[in-house]
Amino acid sequence: MKKYFSILCLLLAISFQPIIAQEGNAQLFEPIDVFQLEYASDIRISPDGSKIIYVRNFKDIMTDKSLANLWMINFDGTENRPVTTGNHRDYSPRWSPDGEKLLYMSSRDGKPQVYLRWLDTGAEAKLTNLTQSPSGLSWSPDGKWIAMTMNVPAKPKTFGKMPKKPSGAKWADAPKVIDKLNYRRDGGGFVKHQYRQIFVLSAEGGTPRQITTGDFNHGGTPQWRKDGKALYFSANRHEDGEYDPRNSEVYMATIIDGQITQLTSRQGPDSSPIISPDGKMIAYTGFDDKYQGYQMTRLYVMNADGSESREVKTNLDRQVAGIQWAGDSKGIFFRFDDKGETYLAHTDLNGKYERLTDNLGGLAMGRPYAGSSFSVSGNGKYAFTHGNWDHLADVGVGQKGGTKANRLTRLNDDLFSYKKLGNVEEIWYKSSYDQRDIQGWICYPPDFDPSKKYPLILEIHGGPFANYGDRFSAEVQLFAAAGNVVLYTNPRGSSSYGEEFGNLIHHNYPNQDYDDLMSGVDAIIEKGFIDEENLFVTGGSGGGVLTAWIVGKTDRFQAAVVAKPVINWYSFVLHADNVNFYYKYWFPGMPWDHTEHYMKRSPISLVGNVTTPTMLLTGEQDYRTPMSETEQFYAGLKLNKVETAMVRIQNASHGIASRPSNLIAKVTYILAWFDKYKKEKE
């Protein structure tokens, strides 16, 4: 027996040797490590607040796909265990009203279907076998029915009749006829002739029954009336809705006959209706449309019949999102961004609000954008995605008026226990344009030494109405691991600073945001550890616009990478998806009526000034900032004999980093371009 015990000890010693060695010899975060990253999302707390179901997202290095399973953990952090397993996507978990069953979606059979799981026995049933992908799952109050949305093909309009082809003949495919204003969607390609409708399905399975009809999209999650005889939802059912994209309303549809009643009527978006637990009131979000680039989504309540609508005025000059009723129907939970941080808050119906916790985030893996989810139980316990600069989303919990928020999971400790990250530090500085306070963050290289000089990468966020924060970013960390100091900021126009700050770029983008960014570079140079001969700049989408603008205004950067940019606003508003939106909200009118204004704000107007070596990087299937924008700038640079290259990410849309290998490719090519033009010290 001792002999076998000695052998076992030897084997254990050998197996643990690398781990012990790593404790004193931390390694740098590398591009291949992207495949090891995990994060929690769509966190759902049980009705009694005792357990949390969450989606655990992971990567498959062999298929280059993002996959997910469902996990469950107790509110006190014990018994963190899988509910589903396998290399597929399980998502959208929804507790039954009695907390005994779990509804969710899964792609395990190829196409997403609805599944039901009994939590006491682990028994499962596949409730659907659909050809279209359902979403927006919602239980009826009695737990007997499920509401959801699903695309329904519509009969396409055709004209032109082809002659009958001979038997066995192989002719070209039939012409594709397009008659819709928005005919392409980024990430989805050419829009199919179909509309999203609301269905109800028995919790015992069977055939879903369609409730809504018409050539309108009914998105979001339908909400059941207290008696289970009607559904509340938001949609744009106006006849001119295609030309007035933000003018959605809250509606009610009866289950028995599909009769629809419109409950709101103002010009502007009314969305995300949520019924109170007592069934008496509806909370929803929206605003009066002023056709500004940045408009604040606010909180409203009304009676269940649509009467007595009013704003819940919290005096909080921030966007309201993710609203959920408190169990007593006397208050509403919501989240908001403030100065690059996301908070969970609660307000009573008179607008008296309190912040409950911060650190909501961790859903944006590539760059440090806002993104989070939370849910609340009837007794005031809440669960949320807990994120910070050093970790992606974990499960966090707390209780209103009681338990302080607590982080329950550490999904990436297996990786970061021996991988060294760059520290992130907040910075505030004054803009040279008007002395406004601008917020940013510095990510230092691992083992940073302030006595040394480091290259600087200025990384610019997109949107432009978005915000960065002290959130984890694989791209920023990889830039830092390569020996660079990384600066990212929230210049004017960024969200989380109020309506006035956001609209400083209304009909004025890009412009003084350039000064905000250059002031940030100057502020970090003043700290004394930046090699001023090795300044680099990059950004994607709106950040690509600003990067292209920067190299047209200054030659202080050694090299630049312009990712998925807009280069010519005139062509952009006519060629990007959402043709019905940009000319109306970002510009004073149609491009042919305001040609000078469009061109004045287009980076293509400055291409003749560019001397900085500039690489362009865009997905070939990007319909948000189409490849033609990149091609225009590339051609201009080439004609002016500026050192340039065009990197086309194949089979990628605007969200290049949606596939792990594309995120790696993006970072790898950016760093290679910067290294090519880095000045070595003599």
Side-chain angles (χ1 to χ4, degrees):
M1 187 68 181
K2 289 183 179 179
K3 177 181 178 183
Y4 291 116
F5 180 76
S6 299
I7 294 172
L8 177 61
C9 289
L10 179 61
L11 291 172
L12 288 173
I14 293 172
S15 64
F16 281 110
Q17 191 172 2
I19 298 175
I20 294 170
Q22 288 164 355
E23 290 180 357
N25 185 25
Q27 302 173 16
L28 295 178
F29 183 55
E30 301 173 281
I32 195 66
D33 294 328
V34 167
F35 280 102
Q36 305 304 319
L37 295 173
E38 299 184 64
Y39 64 94
S41 65
D42 205 355
I43 291 178
R44 299 283 166 165
I45 195 166
S46 61
D48 65 1
S50 64
K51 300 179 183 298
I52 297 100
I53 293 282
Y54 65 98
V55 177
R56 185 165 178 167
N57 301 270
F58 61 97
K59 317 295 178 189
D60 184 357
I61 197 170
M62 301 306 294
T63 62
D64 195 23
K65 290 182 179 180
S66 296
L67 306 175
N69 295 143
L70 305 183
W71 281 59
M72 181 163 60
I73 188 171
N74 291 334
F75 186 83
D76 63 7
T78 60
E79 298 186 18
N80 185 30
R81 60 190 187 275
V83 176
T84 65
T85 59
N87 276 13
H88 48 257
R89 287 188 65 234
D90 301 320
Y91 59 101
S92 296
R94 301 293 182 265
W95 291 94
S96 62
D98 59 12
E100 296 179 358
K101 296 184 287 294
L102 186 69
L103 191 69
Y104 68 97
M105 298 289 303
S106 179
S107 64
R108 65 186 63 174
D109 289 336
K111 204 164 189 69
Q113 303 294 341
V114 181
Y115 288 78
L116 181 63
R117 184 181 183 91
W118 284 258
L119 293 172
D120 57 349
T121 65
E124 281 196 341
K126 181 180 176 183
L127 299 186
T128 62
N129 189 24
L130 303 167
T131 57
Q132 299 286 336
S133 298
S135 62
L137 305 181
S138 175
W139 285 94
S140 64
D142 61 8
K144 295 181 179 180
W145 295 90
I146 300 158
M148 60 187 185
T149 64
M150 191 163 54
N151 284 330
V152 175
K155 188 176 181 180
K157 298 176 182 178
T158 60
F159 59 89
K161 188 174 181 180
M162 292 287 291
K164 185 178 180 180
K165 65 181 179 181
S167 177
K170 295 181 179 180
W171 289 11
D173 293 337
K176 185 179 294 184
V177 178
I178 295 172
D179 62 359
K180 297 177 72 66
L181 178 59
N182 286 328
Y183 60 92
R184 294 189 303 184
R185 183 177 297 114
D186 185 66
F190 282 86
V191 176
K192 296 179 180 178
H193 201 72
Q194 58 189 15
Y195 296 94
R196 201 149 194 89
Q197 305 292 354
I198 296 175
F199 291 77
V200 294
L201 170 71
S202 169
E204 296 180 354
T207 303
R209 181 164 67 88
Q210 185 173 338
I211 302 301
T212 59
T213 58
D215 291 351
F216 309 104
N217 287 308
H218 308 81
T221 300
Q223 299 290 309
W224 290 86
R225 199 168 69 185
K226 182 73 171 177
D227 61 7
K229 296 181 179 180
L231 290 164
Y232 299 100
F233 61 93
S234 175
N236 186 338
R237 291 176 57 89
H238 299 288
E239 289 186 7
D240 64 343
E242 192 174 29
Y243 291 87
D244 197 6
R246 277 184 163 170
N247 195 23
S248 60
E249 312 292 353
V250 175
Y251 297 89
M252 181 183 70
T254 54
I255 300 298
I256 192 170
D257 57 9
Q259 181 177 344
I260 292 178
T261 302
Q262 183 176 326
L263 302 183
T264 61
S265 59
R266 60 142 162 227
Q267 177 64 39
D270 292 319
S271 58
S272 304
I274 304 289
I275 191 73
S276 61
D278 62 11
K280 295 180 180 179
M281 301 190 75
I282 297 171
Y284 63 102
T285 60
F287 55 80
D288 295 309
D289 197 350
K290 300 176 183 177
Y291 302 100
Q292 294 177 330
Y294 184 61
Q295 300 186 79
M296 302 292 292
T297 300
R298 305 188 186 280
L299 174 62
Y300 296 82
V301 294
M302 61 183 172
N303 293 331
D305 62 1
S307 63
E308 299 184 24
S309 172
R310 63 181 177 88
E311 181 184 349
V312 179
K313 295 184 178 181
T314 61
N315 295 320
L316 179 67
D317 185 26
R318 299 293 185 268
Q319 296 262 28
V320 171
I323 59 174
Q324 297 180 39
W325 281 95
D328 60 6
S329 299
K330 295 180 180 180
I332 297 166
F333 292 84
F334 63 96
R335 68 176 188 269
F336 68 94
D337 293 346
D338 181 40
K339 299 181 177 67
E341 180 66 87
T342 305
Y343 294 86
L344 175 62
H346 172 274
T347 181
D348 64 20
L349 300 186
N350 294 318
K352 183 179 180 181
Y353 80 96
E354 60 175 322
R355 299 186 182 194
L356 301 178
T357 189
D358 57 2
N359 288 326
L360 272 71
L363 299 185
M365 188 176 75
R367 297 197 278 166
Y369 283 118
S372 60
S373 72
F374 74 92
S375 69
V376 184
S377 66
N379 55 12
K381 291 182 177 180
Y382 55 83
F384 62 99
T385 52
H386 185 292
N388 210 325
W389 69 264
D390 60 353
H391 67 92
L392 282 163
D394 278 297
V395 179
V397 296
Q399 184 168 15
K400 181 181 180 298
T403 306
K404 184 180 178 181
N406 182 35
R407 178 182 171 190
L408 299 187
T409 64
R410 296 179 181 273
L411 300 182
N412 289 297
D413 270 11
D414 59 332
L415 178 65
F416 294 138
S417 62
Y418 69 95
K419 291 285 184 176
K420 191 178 295 186
L421 295 176
N423 289 324
V424 174
E425 176 183 285
E426 182 184 42
I427 181 175
W428 285 87
Y429 59 90
K430 299 288 186 180
S431 171
S432 62
Y433 176 70
D434 56 8
Q435 297 302 300
R436 284 181 183 269
D437 290 324
I438 305 297
Q439 186 182 22
W441 290 265
I442 306 168
C443 183
Y444 296 96
D447 299 320
F448 171 76
D449 182 348
S451 67
K452 295 181 179 179
K453 298 284 188 178
Y454 292 87
L456 173 68
I457 295 178
L458 171 63
E459 209 285 336
I460 309 171
H461 76 64
F465 305 110
N467 69 83
Y468 275 168
D470 59 344
R471 310 177 183 108
F472 181 82
S473 164
E475 295 182 28
V476 167
Q477 287 293 338
L478 289 170
F479 290 154
N484 303 286
V485 171
V486 184
L487 171 66
Y488 57 94
T489 78
N490 285 335
R492 66 191 62 213
S494 300
S495 59
S496 80
Y497 302 91
E499 188 169 14
E500 187 264 347
F501 187 86
N503 277 305
L504 289 173
I505 64 170
H506 180 59
H507 295 176
N508 188 38
Y509 165 71
N511 202 336
Q512 290 84 31
D513 35 9
Y514 165 84
D515 301 290
D516 298 346
L517 293 166
M518 294 304 98
S519 297
V521 172
D522 294 336
I524 197 170
I525 287 174
E526 289 178 4
K527 292 180 176 291
F529 49 74
I530 297 300
D531 179 358
E532 294 187 54
E533 292 188 341
N534 280 310
L535 306 180
F536 303 96
V537 59
T538 186
S541 194
V545 175
L546 282 164
T547 303
W549 188 261
I550 285 169
V551 295
K553 300 276 284 186
T554 181
D555 61 359
R556 71 184 302 188
F557 293 94
Q558 275 294 104
V561 176
V562 176
K564 49 188 180 182
V566 175
I567 295 300
N568 184 336
W569 289 111
Y570 198 119
S571 59
F572 168 77
V573 300
L574 300 175
H575 192 46
D577 64 353
N578 300 320
V579 175
N580 57 352
F581 181 83
Y582 297 109
Y583 80 92
K584 181 180 290 190
Y585 291 95
W586 289 14
F587 293 91
M590 297 293 188
W592 44 85
D593 293 328
H594 302 274
T595 303
E596 183 178 353
H597 180 91
Y598 275 74
M599 189 54 61
K600 183 180 179 181
R601 293 168 52 190
S602 295
I604 196 67
S605 67
L606 303 177
V607 70
N609 301 336
V610 180
T611 59
T612 304
T614 301
M615 185 176 84
L616 296 116
L617 186 151
T618 303
E620 287 196 326
Q621 295 180 2
D622 190 332
Y623 294 140
R624 182 62 44 81
T625 54
M627 180 60 77
S628 59
E629 295 294 310
T630 289
E631 291 167 337
Q632 289 180 65
F633 205 58
Y634 176 77
L637 294 173
K638 273 294 187 184
L639 289 172
N640 285 330
K641 298 183 179 180
V642 177
E643 293 182 76
T644 185
M646 178 167 50
V647 177
R648 304 169 71 100
I649 306 298
Q650 299 183 60
N651 301 313
S653 60
H654 195 64
I656 291 173
S658 60
R659 295 188 70 175
S661 66
N662 280 343
L663 188 156
I664 293 171
K666 178 184 176 186
V667 171
T668 300
Y669 277 85
I670 290 173
L671 288 174
W673 186 257
F674 291 164
D675 285 343
K676 181 179 180 180
Y677 295 98
K678 187 177 294 182
K679 280 191 176 181
E680 299 297 336
K681 296 180 181 178
E682 297 181 358

